[in-house]
Amino acid sequence: MEKPWRLWGAMERCTLTLASWSWGACRVSLLALILTFHLYGGFFLLALILASVAGILYKFQDVLLYFPDQPSSSRLYVPMPTGIPHENVYIRTKDGVKLNLILLRYTGGDSPPGVAPSNQSSPTSSSPPTILYFHGNAGNIGHRVPNALLMLVNLKANVVLVDYRGYGKSEGEPSEDGLYLDAEATLDYVMTRPDLDKTKVVLFGRSLGGAVAVRLASVNPHRVAAIIVENTFLSIPHMAATLFSFLPMRLLPLWCYRNQFLSYRQVALCRMPSLQGLTVDYRPWAGGSEGCHRIMDFRKECTFFMLLSGFLFHFTLSTFL
């Protein structure tokens, strides 16, 4: 039975490769196809033109979603923190892509809020939590360092920032599956660090990073203590239906979307404590039924860190003491 399955897999890969090559050839020769159709007509040429236009639109979706070059120096210069303990690290994903990480180390000796001094004798109770910071769809991790430093100081936590593939000094090109692999590699790296508490790993995702964090939490329920998402969305199809409401986007099947990020499905598997919006939810996050791109009103910094601090230390510290 093994040989027929191998043969079928090889035939499937060849078919997909041939279809991809044909689709690419149609996109390259679009102008020639249009001129030929104008002169001679024919349903076959019309089908090729439609296929080439569909291929261009399918590929163009990446341009609408990922902005690693904004601002223009984002791929050349990554600002580094100064005056605080940090590590600039490079790791490899499962598919061999090299990623750039910044680890900000919390070295303060203050007790976290709500933790009794008598508990500090335990190494587990005294160790700070570690926040994995997944940023949005533009810029690089250096642009998030000021925000991460505020987290480090106000939340008394280590912060790990990762640049997705194609962002900052990381290699490769961004894609949905690629970003998922990047998040997995980051979590794996944290789990290999003996100086970081593996029971206090918290995911923080902003905008696109929220979708990455939800996916990572859904497939690692025993390795993630809690998840925080800010200004994220239900899925790319939901976003498209809202942004392009003048088009019948809701009628398009999922396979029309090159990137889907179906957070509304994956969030059902997140059984750890979750914080989304301005509400602390003690149940698994139900996931944005009120809108497709919820915006957290964190204009006041004190409110922001009061909420995060209360949530973070209640769940990731007192739970384990």
Side-chain angles (χ1 to χ4, degrees):
M1 292 295 294
E2 189 175 355
K3 289 184 178 179
W5 278 110
R6 288 183 177 179
L7 179 61
W8 176 257
M11 291 177 60
E12 183 180 9
R13 288 192 296 270
C14 291
T15 303
L16 291 175
T17 302
L18 180 61
S20 177
W21 180 86
S22 301
W23 203 355
C26 287
R27 295 201 306 267
V28 172
S29 58
L30 177 59
L31 181 58
L33 288 173
I34 293 175
L35 292 176
T36 306
F37 176 76
H38 179 72
L39 294 175
Y40 302 102
F43 288 105
F44 180 71
L45 286 174
L46 179 60
L48 289 179
I49 291 173
L50 293 177
S52 63
V53 171
I56 291 172
L57 294 177
Y58 186 80
K59 181 65 176 178
F60 189 69
Q61 293 178 39
D62 286 351
V63 179
L64 296 176
L65 181 59
Y66 305 114
F67 299 93
D69 297 317
Q70 293 187 8
S72 57
S73 60
S74 295
R75 294 286 283 151
L76 302 174
Y77 173 65
V78 177
M80 288 288 151
T82 56
I84 63 163
H86 71 278
E87 299 177 29
N88 188 32
V89 182
Y90 289 90
I91 64 172
R92 290 279 181 182
T93 63
K94 290 181 179 179
D95 59 344
V97 177
K98 185 168 71 173
L99 304 179
N100 183 211
L101 278 68
I102 296 178
L103 169 61
L104 305 180
R105 299 297 305 273
Y106 175 73
T107 58
D110 295 333
S111 300
V115 177
S118 59
N119 292 331
Q120 295 300 317
S121 59
S122 169
T124 302
S125 64
S126 61
S127 59
T130 300
I131 300 175
L132 273 59
Y133 191 120
F134 298 104
H135 63 73
N137 63 340
N140 60 48
I141 51 179
H143 302 135
R144 277 78 181 186
V145 165
N147 186 233
L149 290 177
L150 291 175
M151 287 185 171
L152 180 142
V153 173
N154 289 276
L155 305 180
K156 300 180 175 61
N158 304 311
V159 183
V160 177
L161 302 100
V162 56
D163 258 333
Y164 313 123
R165 59 187 62 202
Y167 284 77
K169 295 183 179 180
S170 296
E171 298 176 346
E173 295 293 332
S175 67
E176 180 178 3
D177 291 337
L179 266 61
Y180 292 158
L181 289 175
D182 299 344
E184 283 282 354
T186 305
L187 181 59
D188 290 341
Y189 169 75
V190 170
M191 291 297 168
T192 62
R193 296 278 303 227
D195 54 340
L196 301 180
D197 193 335
K198 300 174 180 59
T199 65
K200 300 177 185 177
V201 176
V202 180
L203 308 184
F204 175 83
R206 174 173 292 161
S207 188
L208 178 63
V212 177
V214 167
R215 169 54 166 69
L216 182 63
S218 69
V219 296
N220 294 276
H222 303 298
R223 298 202 296 172
V224 175
I227 178 174
I228 303 168
V229 292
E230 176 190 347
N231 196 24
T232 190
F233 48 82
L234 295 178
S235 70
I236 294 300
H238 281 89
M239 284 290 294
T242 299
L243 295 175
F244 304 100
S245 57
F246 53 91
L247 297 174
M249 304 299 294
R250 298 184 186 276
L251 301 179
L252 292 178
L254 284 178
W255 54 264
C256 291
Y257 293 91
R258 182 178 175 88
N259 302 278
Q260 299 178 3
F261 291 102
L262 304 179
S263 297
Y264 71 96
R265 292 183 180 179
Q266 297 161 350
V267 77
L269 302 175
C270 298
R271 298 299 176 183
M272 66 288 298
S274 307
L275 174 63
Q276 189 263 345
L278 287 177
T279 302
V280 177
D281 191 357
Y282 295 88
R283 302 159 296 151
W285 178 51
S289 59
E290 300 170 8
C292 96
H293 197 287
R294 291 185 171 188
I295 299 175
M296 296 173 69
D297 189 10
F298 281 162
R299 296 185 182 91
K300 295 183 178 179
E301 180 182 306
C302 59
T303 303
F304 175 84
F305 286 108
M306 283 175 61
L307 284 168
L308 288 192
S309 181
F311 170 81
L312 183 64
F313 290 114
H314 175 75
F315 285 113
T316 64
L317 294 185
S318 62
T319 300
F320 296 103
L321 299 183

